[in-house]
Amino acid sequence: VLQFLIGVIPAAELFVAAQVIDELATLLGTGVWSEKLFFLILIGLCLLGLQRIVFSFNDYLTEYLRSFLHLAVNDRIHRMVLRLDLPTLERASVHTLITYLKDQSWRPMQMVYSVFQTFGNVVASVSYVILAATFSPIFTVLFLAAVLPSLIVSVWAVYFGSKVAWGKASLMKQVWYFESLFRYRRSLIELMIHNVGAYFADRYKTLFGDVIHREMEIEKKRLGASAFTNLGAFAVYAIVYIQIIRSVLVGASTIGQFTLYVGAFVNLERFLVSQVWQLAMLLEHTKYLDSFRELEEIIPTIKDTAEARELESIELIECKDVTYTYPHAETPALSKVSFTLHEGERVALVGENGAGKSTLVKLLLRLYEPTRGSIFINGRDYREYQLVSLRKQMGVTFQDFLELSLSVKENIGVGELSSLDDQAAIEQAAMRSGIHERVMALPKKYQTILGHEFNEEGIELSGGEWQKIALARSLIKDASLLILDEPTAALDARSEFRFFQELFRRAKKQTLLVISHRFSSVRIADRILVFKDGRLIEEGSHDTLMKQLGLYEELFSLQTKEIH
Ligand code: ADP
């Protein structure tokens, strides 16, 4: 309704203004105010007032819709991304698609704006066409035809522009990457110590400069083409203008009509050109929607089947000939790995870097699925269980855990959302990971904000302290299986000793799977699985493995050897 009014009021104003001029022409020099003049002025002022009110309301509503649409679009992207599985998310094309959608998430807002504007423009154009046609229908048609090339050029520009936008997304991904190096404390320290700040600042500048350069190239083409086509419309306008003057000179039109016709053609041209651009923009925005749909249509391979059941606890895990090859990798990261994990067992995974230990953990979590072979839980293929319940039964800490710039309480509580407000559970988990005392010494204890991102008074923890926070996060979960990938890599000797002591002293029921390079810590495990080049090559207790004189014994002895 507002856009209709916005479209129609200016034409009505022009019409009234022309009447006023004609009325003034008849009253010129008489000093008399006619009733008609009063009436016309009153209508003119009312229209002006109405226009002001309509504009204000329109601004308010457009802003309201745009803000909420921005929110809705980003929220939808987040949820669509969450639906995807890790192998899909690790595909570069998917990453580019998400980058593009995030980078251009303003487009749907702009679309709303364009749709409204289009409606307003159409109404305005029709009003001016009606006014212009009262002068000459033929010239009006001619005039409309002159604007046509402009439309074609715009459509071409959109087609060309969208191709570049896609290329831009992959470049922008790199731009963002370099930009992020200057945003996070960790990377900033690295830039400082290696004196490479300027080097990366230059790379960012060159790359971003390249993106801008590409954009400007399109803009230049658009500008050139539209200047050329606008020239056509301008030439027709000049002819019409002279025709109107001629009709006044021969007495076919009054001065008021002169104002009306000139105004009608001028505005018609303005609105049509603006409309052509709005249409072009709309087309461009629909390309964004296509990408939106593309993301929506990606079907994750790792997902629940229709008859997926809930996993209530883990009593037995059996890996049978599990092989996993990463996409595009030539050799498998894991080959024919078979072992069994019973409830309450405390098992350690050892092996040199790249042996496949983390990959195995990710397979257990069903972040990836075996390329060949299967994993069974409680006798069933683990794909028969609901993903959420499977992961709920597994408490995990990876080496590259997330340091959340939130309170200590939340940092630990997110491990089990239902315990987010359970202070006792949070403290117990913190005690077990060995961070409780440190937290109690912080200014606001569990409410202390960690990190400086949002809070000047935020506290920075040491690497080892952060690791204990991350460990507490997985310990708070009432999970059947606790998986710890290098849980003590950043811990000092005393903390590590205490942590393992506490860990192995725990209730027997929880199964434990620990990846560690500290052989002194893993020797108390019930069973040790030794990996090499993706294969499980040795299995047994510390004593058994030592007697075998294999890789385990070699690595263990290396750690106890002195360096000369
Ligand atoms: P470990 O935990 O024993 O150090 P990983 O399981 O992390 O070893 O890695 C095993 C092999 O798989 C390595 O050669 C590594 O390069 C490869 N790899 C690990 N993660 C990925 C990934 N996301 N994509 C491709 N290859 C990977």
Side-chain angles (χ1 to χ4, degrees):
V1 169
L2 291 176
Q3 284 296 333
F4 177 79
L5 291 174
I6 285 177
V8 85
I9 289 175
E13 275 174 352
L14 183 65
F15 184 76
V16 173
Q19 303 275 318
V20 170
I21 290 172
D22 278 346
E23 185 61 14
L24 278 178
T26 56
L27 298 173
L28 201 66
T30 61
V32 177
W33 286 75
S34 72
E35 215 169 285
K36 189 176 174 193
L37 187 61
F38 266 125
F39 182 66
L40 286 171
I41 290 175
L42 189 68
I43 293 184
L45 288 177
C46 284
L47 285 173
L48 208 64
L50 185 64
Q51 193 179 25
R52 291 277 147 83
I53 296 169
V54 167
F55 270 140
S56 304
F57 262 116
N58 184 61
D59 285 350
Y60 170 77
L61 282 180
T62 311
E63 196 47 45
Y64 178 89
L65 277 174
R66 289 207 310 183
S67 306
F68 275 99
L69 197 59
H70 192 190
L71 171 68
V73 167
N74 275 307
D75 183 57
R76 195 144 149 206
I77 296 174
H78 295 161
R79 286 170 206 281
M80 282 198 291
V81 169
L82 276 180
R83 196 177 56 84
L84 300 178
D85 55 24
L86 193 57
T88 309
L89 287 169
E90 282 178 345
R91 267 163 42 200
S93 60
V94 174
H95 198 234
T96 306
L97 187 62
I98 295 169
T99 310
Y100 170 74
L101 287 174
K102 285 294 248 172
D103 183 32
Q104 312 270 306
S105 64
W106 51 270
R107 279 195 185 278
M109 305 188 289
Q110 210 56 38
M111 196 166 179
V112 167
Y113 189 70
S114 289
V115 168
F116 286 168
Q117 198 88 341
T118 296
F119 184 66
N121 281 348
V122 167
V123 172
S125 302
V126 170
S127 322
Y128 288 120
V129 164
I130 293 170
L131 292 183
T134 57
F135 171 68
S136 158
I138 296 171
F139 274 118
T140 310
V141 172
L142 202 69
F143 197 77
L144 290 175
V147 185
L148 202 69
S150 181
L151 178 72
I152 295 166
V153 166
S154 299
V155 171
W156 165 81
V158 168
Y159 177 73
F160 189 68
S162 69
K163 274 208 290 201
V164 175
W166 187 249
K168 198 187 119 198
S170 56
L171 272 185
M172 277 313 280
K173 214 166 77 172
Q174 292 178 46
V175 170
W176 280 1
Y177 176 70
F178 287 124
E179 196 182 70
S180 72
L181 295 178
F182 293 85
R183 212 180 306 153
Y184 300 108
R185 185 171 161 273
R186 242 190 216 177
S187 51
L188 277 170
I189 292 174
E190 198 83 5
L191 295 188
M192 284 176 195
I193 56 174
H194 293 302
N195 269 331
V196 286
Y199 171 74
F200 283 109
D202 285 346
R203 284 196 70 170
Y204 169 79
K205 203 170 147 187
T206 313
L207 209 61
F208 206 174
D210 192 28
V211 174
I212 295 173
H213 184 70
R214 281 168 186 234
E215 271 178 357
M216 291 323 290
E217 280 300 308
I218 313 172
E219 285 307 315
K220 240 194 279 179
K221 284 196 176 116
R222 279 190 193 192
L223 195 70
S226 69
F228 185 71
T229 50
N230 285 346
L231 214 64
F234 179 74
V236 176
Y237 170 72
I239 297 168
V240 171
Y241 187 55
I242 291 166
Q243 286 298 326
I244 297 171
I245 290 179
R246 205 179 62 88
S247 85
V248 176
L249 286 179
V250 298
S253 303
T254 65
I255 291 290
Q257 280 169 329
F258 169 79
T259 323
L260 180 68
Y261 298 148
V262 170
F265 277 103
V266 167
N267 282 307
L268 184 57
E269 201 247 6
R270 188 161 66 89
F271 278 99
L272 284 179
V273 168
S274 146
Q275 186 41 42
V276 162
W277 281 106
Q278 287 302 337
L279 267 183
M281 293 310 285
L282 257 178
L283 265 179
E284 202 169 323
H285 300 325
T286 55
K287 294 259 175 205
Y288 178 84
L289 293 191
D290 288 345
S291 297
F292 212 80
R293 212 162 298 132
E294 200 182 323
L295 181 64
E296 216 163 35
E297 279 167 9
I298 296 176
I299 298 167
T301 47
I302 302 176
K303 60 176 179 32
D304 287 341
T305 56
E307 56 281 353
R309 58 181 66 221
E310 194 185 341
L311 179 64
E312 280 163 9
S313 70
I314 300 176
E315 279 121 41
L316 179 69
I317 297 178
E318 294 161 285
C319 286
K320 291 190 180 160
D321 283 333
V322 171
T323 297
Y324 184 72
T325 312
Y326 282 102
H328 307 298
E330 282 173 8
T331 50
L334 276 184
S335 301
K336 297 199 162 195
V337 171
S338 299
F339 66 92
T340 316
L341 202 60
H342 295 274
E343 186 177 17
E345 261 194 307
R346 296 160 307 177
V347 172
L349 302 181
V350 301
E352 287 165 299
N353 297 333
K357 307 177 294 290
S358 300
T359 306
L360 176 66
V361 166
K362 288 188 180 125
L363 282 166
L364 286 174
L365 281 157
R366 220 179 136 205
L367 288 169
Y368 306 123
E369 283 179 352
T371 318
R372 277 198 302 279
S374 307
I375 298 176
F376 295 90
I377 294 183
N378 306 343
R380 284 179 190 282
D381 190 307
Y382 80 155
R383 281 173 284 213
E384 289 177 30
Y385 297 107
Q386 291 160 359
L387 263 177
V388 170
S389 72
L390 176 82
R391 292 182 189 155
K392 201 171 159 60
Q393 289 304 325
M394 299 185 183
V396 193
T397 305
F398 279 121
Q399 278 169 282
D400 50 353
F401 50 82
L402 195 57
E403 297 175 5
L404 296 167
S405 291
L406 297 171
S407 67
V408 176
K409 187 180 144 204
E410 273 177 291
N411 257 290
I412 298 174
V414 289
E416 177 62 66
L417 277 183
S418 60
S419 302
L420 201 53
D421 290 316
D422 186 345
Q423 186 65 23
I426 288 173
E427 284 188 22
Q428 203 193 1
M431 275 178 210
R432 294 221 316 256
S433 75
I435 194 69
H436 175 69
E437 281 167 32
R438 174 76 179 99
V439 174
M440 292 310 278
L442 292 174
K444 290 187 185 159
K445 304 192 168 61
Y446 280 86
Q447 302 300 335
T448 312
I449 302 287
L450 300 179
H452 287 124
E453 263 90 356
F454 308 124
N455 200 331
E456 292 275 330
E457 286 114 48
I459 300 283
E460 272 309 333
L461 293 181
S462 76
E465 287 165 344
W466 264 117
Q467 187 159 35
K468 290 178 191 172
I469 295 274
L471 284 169
R473 194 181 295 158
S474 55
L475 291 171
I476 195 173
K477 214 168 176 179
D478 186 26
S480 307
L481 173 65
L482 190 60
I483 302 176
L484 305 173
D485 188 350
E486 297 266 8
T488 58
L491 263 51
D492 58 68
R494 194 194 303 276
S495 302
E496 183 184 15
F497 178 77
R498 277 205 205 137
F499 177 73
F500 274 109
Q501 217 181 21
E502 159 67 29
L503 197 64
F504 287 114
R505 210 163 18 94
R506 304 195 56 196
K508 249 305 198 192
K509 225 167 168 279
Q510 196 172 35
T511 315
L512 188 63
L513 198 63
V514 188
I515 298 180
S516 180
H517 292 298
R518 309 264 183 116
F519 285 75
S520 53
S521 312
V522 300
R523 60 186 293 179
I524 41 173
D526 297 330
R527 203 146 45 96
I528 298 162
L529 309 181
V530 187
F531 285 82
K532 185 179 167 62
D533 299 334
R535 291 178 184 278
L536 175 58
I537 55 163
E538 292 167 27
E539 186 178 353
S541 70
H542 169 78
D543 293 337
T544 325
L545 292 175
M546 286 306 278
K547 278 185 211 132
Q548 276 184 14
L549 297 179
L551 180 66
Y552 180 83
E553 189 274 340
E554 186 193 337
L555 295 175
F556 187 88
S557 310
L558 264 180
Q559 272 194 4
T560 48
K561 250 187 202 154
E562 286 176 42
I563 295 175
H564 297 288

